[in-house]
Amino acid sequence: MIRTPTIAELPQVFAIEQDVFQYAVYPPFLFRQALDLWGEWLLIDDDCANGFAGYALGAPSLDDHEAWLLSLAVRASHRGRGVGEQLTRALLDSLRRRGFRSALLTVDPANAGAVRLYQRLGFAIEREEAEYFGPGEPRLVMRAQLG
């Protein structure tokens, strides 16, 4: 079930962040602020029996017509089951309903599985930045038209 987490569930969202991105994680307070600012764009896949399978986080851009997929994280134990696709589709649908015309994201070019997922969902590579997050941190910037 895709839904917005409660405040009490935010530690579980942060646990996913730590599990998936071990070395470069958003701090726990970011999830609280994201819930307050963009609650409809902080989504979890609540697997019920096994806890949360993953989360997606979106945010509006300075351009009123575009938004960002800031993060998509799926626990290793749930990969290959469509969780990332479901979370991304739900987030894009929410952005579309709010009138955004496009969505952007960044992804590590070495993460071929994520690049394929995003391309399947309509994202195209807009550019590559060799040091997007600093030295040795390349990212593809991808955009999808939300129509």
Side-chain angles (χ1 to χ4, degrees):
M1 176 171 75
I2 307 291
R3 64 178 177 83
T4 298
T6 66
I7 291 170
E9 294 170 324
L10 291 177
Q12 294 175 67
V13 177
F14 181 65
I16 295 168
E17 177 78 1
Q18 288 179 304
D19 288 349
V20 173
F21 299 115
Q22 299 163 10
Y23 70 97
V25 299
Y26 284 129
F29 70 80
L30 175 89
F31 294 100
R32 172 53 202 246
Q33 291 178 324
L35 186 62
D36 288 343
L37 292 169
W38 319 299
E40 68 186 286
W41 304 319
L42 175 56
L43 301 173
I44 55 169
D45 184 315
D46 186 354
D47 190 47
C48 295
N50 298 313
F52 299 160
Y55 84 87
L57 174 61
S61 173
L62 289 175
D63 179 331
D64 292 341
H65 303 292
E66 66 185 23
W68 282 84
L69 170 57
L70 295 179
S71 188
L72 175 66
V74 177
R75 291 186 187 275
S77 60
H78 288 77
R79 290 187 191 137
R81 300 181 189 178
V83 172
E85 183 171 344
Q86 291 173 5
L87 283 163
T88 305
R89 283 186 188 281
L91 180 58
L92 295 176
D93 287 346
S94 180
L95 295 170
R96 194 175 288 113
R97 282 191 304 273
R98 291 284 295 235
F100 290 100
R101 294 184 192 147
S102 66
L104 293 111
L105 60 81
T106 67
V107 62
D108 184 338
N111 189 343
V115 172
R116 281 192 307 273
L117 167 67
Y118 296 136
Q119 288 174 326
R120 212 171 44 246
L121 294 172
F123 284 88
I125 297 170
E126 193 168 88
R127 67 185 183 277
E128 183 169 357
E129 292 193 28
E131 297 183 338
Y132 189 90
F133 289 124
E137 294 290 336
R139 291 294 180 271
L140 299 175
V141 177
M142 300 181 77
R143 179 185 299 270
Q145 296 304 317
L146 301 178

